[in-house]
Amino acid sequence: MSVSNAKKELRLSKEELETIKKIKDFFDGDVYIFGSRVNINKRGGDIDLYFIPKTSISVKERFLIPVDVVFDNETLRDEVLKNGYKID
């Protein structure tokens, strides 16, 4: 199943996207999905999340789905901002 908006189509169920949006609600900053889940032609893979925090927070323990949590870093920033999906 996939979810889409005007920017991209994601390989996420509505439940997975809602879970991520709930996490974002108490995270002070921006959250992007990147990696294989933003490519509808790929299969499998965990959910890669990129956080740009306004404050320091530990979030990985709050997920009940397999995710890679990446905080803002120069190595991935350009790739994520160009090809990622910002959670609104």
Side-chain angles (χ1 to χ4, degrees), residues 5-57:
N5 75 1
K7 292 193 275 185
K8 289 196 180 288
E9 189 168 353
L10 301 175
R11 289 187 311 103
L12 292 176
S13 69
K14 288 181 181 181
E15 293 80 17
E16 289 169 326
L17 186 58
E18 287 304 312
T19 299
I20 294 166
K21 285 181 177 183
K22 287 178 184 176
I23 303 272
K24 184 200 176 293
D25 287 345
F26 62 79
F27 174 74
D28 188 20
D30 293 327
V31 179
Y32 289 81
I33 298 172
F34 69 101
S36 65
R37 293 297 188 106
V38 297
N39 185 336
I40 62 168
N41 297 315
K42 292 191 176 184
R43 300 186 73 185
D46 61 0
I47 300 170
D48 299 307
L49 298 177
Y50 187 82
F51 290 84
I52 302 176
K54 293 178 185 171
T55 59
S56 180
I57 182 174

Side-chain angles (χ1 to χ4, degrees), residues 23 46 51 57-69 71:
I23 303 272
D46 61 0
F51 290 84
I57 182 174
S58 176
V59 297
K60 188 160 184 164
E61 306 79 44
R62 299 177 191 220
F63 286 92
L64 300 176
I65 53 178
V67 297
D68 288 335
V69 175
F71 284 92

